[in-house]
Amino acid sequence: MTLAGHHPFNQVRVEPTTDPQGVTVIDDIQGIRVSLGTTEPVIPLSGAPTAFCFPVDVAYDIDTESVRIPMPVNVCVRDHVGSVVADVPPNTSKTLGQGQYTVEIGGLGVKTYLAVQSELRIPAATDGGRTISVENTDPVGLGVRSLHNQPATTVTTTDDPTDVMRALSCFGASLKTTSCERSFPSMRGHPPQIKHGDCFDAPATLERTPAETDIQIEVPSTFEYIYPVASLAYYLNAAVVPGDSPRLLVDGTAHPIEHEDGYDAAVFRLLEHLFTLDCLTRTEGFYPVQLAGREQIEESAGLDFAALYDQSLGEQVNTYLTVPFETVASIVPRWPLTTTIAPTAAHLGVLSYVAADLSSIRTPETERSVTTRAGSQYAASINEFLRGTSTTAPSFRGQSSATADQQIQQRGPSDDSTDGAGRVR
């Protein structure tokens, strides 16, 4: 076992501290530092990310019998298959018998989990903090995931369209998972920032090539065709490559990108289509709520969501696209953000920011770059759902997921949670 080191991309780490005794969780992306107390001095050692129900950027093992959180936080406990066994608000206590648990510590500004295999005691909060105690001789797993709503790294590109395609192919590296739970904002992360340079340059772990991903987006080598696919490439973890006509290639199956209202509309409709069906498929995961939208699609399209949930991303996309968009259209959420970008190299820098919000992107040649909102009555919802202040959305912390159905059925904002997650592939 070796000392855990600094993560080269996510810039998230855990370091030992002596005052107070314990560890400090550090997220350089978001500028967050949180101290966690322990019963004895500890040295964080590299651990197994697979010990947790949810994706983590870094994982550690610490030898301690308790973890002290310096604030009265909510705690959610799941069993080895991810089912919630206890949701423990600050003013309540809970004792759980011997078992394998993932414990999420809420309210820290960075996703923080404990993985324990023991009896678990969670007293009510006291003295402005909260303690989680274990009866276990094995190390406690500590997993951390950045909420990552700003770029963690930079990709440099020339103005050559082929290099710009390579830059967009790096966006998917920020996804925390490629399962359908990436429809939750906290499971995506922010795409890398794009900067101009004399040559293409990107960290080796970022770029997606056709050999490294099952999904490619083929478009002609002009900015008018490249810019509109930024959000789609990000969401699908896809490689963007030159082609004679726009099409989506998934596990060797070609899907033309075309629409009677034009190319931009075709790209956006494809994103709406896939995102909406992901929202339904994820109900097979850690939030098995009953959605009227799901029942409607099951009846009209005959989709088996239980089978879909266990499929790979490519298999899911191909299955989704057997369903006509018209079948899905009535439950597609109202998209809160549309961005119009003049298709010139001067506007390369905005692409990662609009893609982060899964914006619809248009490139009329006569327009200057401007961002428009889809109706003033949705402005507050945009900020809530895309930036993590919503109080009505499902979350890891045990909130009801019933409102997700309301958002879909009432054509609400596109992202119906900032904290949800599910099974990791």
Side-chain angles (χ1 to χ4, degrees):
M1 197 173 273
T2 58
L3 282 172
H6 184 108
H7 194 285
F9 172 56
N10 288 292
Q11 302 165 19
V12 178
R13 62 195 186 279
V14 172
E15 296 181 349
T17 57
T18 57
D19 186 21
Q21 178 177 280
V23 296
T24 298
V25 176
I26 302 169
D27 179 358
D28 288 331
I29 305 171
Q30 300 295 108
I32 293 173
R33 299 173 70 95
V34 179
S35 294
L36 303 177
T38 57
T39 49
E40 56 276 308
V42 297
I43 298 177
L45 302 173
S46 59
T50 55
F52 307 89
C53 292
F54 304 112
V56 295
D57 294 329
V58 289
Y60 301 82
D61 288 332
I62 55 176
D63 282 314
T64 185
E65 294 180 355
S66 70
V67 174
R68 174 74 176 176
I69 304 103
M71 58 194 75
V73 298
N74 190 82
V75 174
C76 182
V77 184
R78 295 179 183 268
D79 62 17
H80 68 286
V81 296
S83 299
V84 174
V85 294
D87 187 32
V88 194
N91 61 345
T92 63
S93 61
K94 188 73 176 180
T95 298
L96 298 170
Q98 181 73 25
Q100 182 178 336
Y101 303 110
T102 292
V103 181
E104 183 193 1
I105 304 170
L108 300 185
V110 58
K111 285 294 185 182
T112 305
Y113 306 96
L114 303 179
V116 300
Q117 189 161 356
S118 72
E119 181 179 326
L120 189 63
R121 291 183 290 112
I122 309 171
T126 59
D127 300 325
R130 193 157 205 191
T131 299
I132 299 173
S133 299
V134 298
E135 298 290 340
N136 188 10
T137 58
D138 295 330
V140 173
L142 174 60
V144 181
R145 184 178 80 244
S146 175
L147 292 176
H148 191 183
N149 57 21
Q150 54 188 311
T153 190
T154 298
V155 172
T156 301
T157 179
T158 70
D159 295 345
D160 183 274
T162 302
D163 283 344
V164 175
M165 290 182 182
R166 292 179 66 187
L168 295 191
S169 300
C170 295
F171 281 9
S174 298
L175 297 173
K176 307 298 184 178
T177 178
T178 56
S179 72
C180 56
E181 281 83 15
R182 75 194 183 286
S183 54
F184 290 116
S186 69
M187 301 302 288
R188 291 198 292 269
H190 199 293
Q193 185 176 6
I194 295 180
K195 291 187 176 181
H196 288 91
D198 295 331
C199 62
F200 181 87
D201 183 52
T205 57
L206 263 64
E207 190 173 5
R208 270 68 179 133
T209 68
E212 296 167 336
T213 176
D214 294 332
I215 301 180
Q216 295 91 46
I217 302 173
E218 282 190 0
V219 294
S221 300
T222 65
F223 290 160
E224 289 86 352
Y225 282 96
I226 296 170
Y227 282 15
V229 302
S231 296
L232 184 64
Y234 167 51
Y235 188 68
L236 292 181
N237 190 35
V240 183
V241 297
D244 294 332
S245 59
R247 61 178 186 165
L248 182 68
L249 294 176
V250 185
D251 288 339
T253 300
H255 304 276
I257 302 177
E258 55 190 15
H259 188 273
E260 60 184 9
D261 292 333
Y263 169 68
D264 295 354
V267 174
F268 178 51
R269 186 177 73 167
L270 185 55
L271 180 59
E272 289 181 301
H273 193 163
L274 301 175
F275 178 90
T276 301
L277 290 176
D278 272 340
C279 290
L280 302 185
T281 302
R282 74 187 186 199
T283 63
E284 281 291 327
F286 292 155
Y287 292 91
V289 297
Q290 296 296 316
L291 293 182
R294 169 173 167 162
E295 295 172 1
Q296 176 182 328
I297 298 301
E298 282 178 322
E299 293 177 1
S300 59
L303 289 181
D304 181 350
F305 285 103
L308 269 169
Y309 188 79
D310 291 323
Q311 289 181 351
S312 68
L313 172 58
E315 291 170 331
Q316 287 177 340
V317 170
N318 276 332
T319 301
Y320 290 164
L321 294 180
T322 65
V323 180
F325 180 75
E326 291 70 25
T327 303
V328 179
S330 65
I331 63 168
V332 170
R334 187 184 298 276
W335 228 257
L337 188 64
T338 296
T339 306
T340 302
I341 307 176
T344 66
H347 298 130
L348 282 171
V350 306
L351 291 178
S352 70
Y353 295 93
V354 297
D357 287 338
L358 298 186
S359 176
S360 168
I361 302 172
R362 301 172 181 172
T363 59
E365 294 185 40
T366 58
E367 295 286 341
R368 294 181 62 85
S369 179
V370 63
T371 299
T372 60
R373 305 292 185 177
S376 59
Q377 75 262 41
Y378 295 103
S381 295
I382 293 165
N383 290 331
E384 289 177 355
F385 282 86
L386 296 181
R387 294 304 182 199
T389 59
S390 172
T391 58
T392 59
S395 81
F396 277 152
R397 292 185 280 276
Q399 293 170 303
S400 169
S401 293
T403 53
D405 189 37
Q406 296 170 6
Q407 293 297 338
I408 292 177
Q409 295 303 317
Q410 297 172 6
R411 301 181 64 82
S414 60
D415 287 325
D416 61 329
S417 170
T418 60
D419 288 318
R423 186 176 302 170
V424 181
R425 292 191 175 88

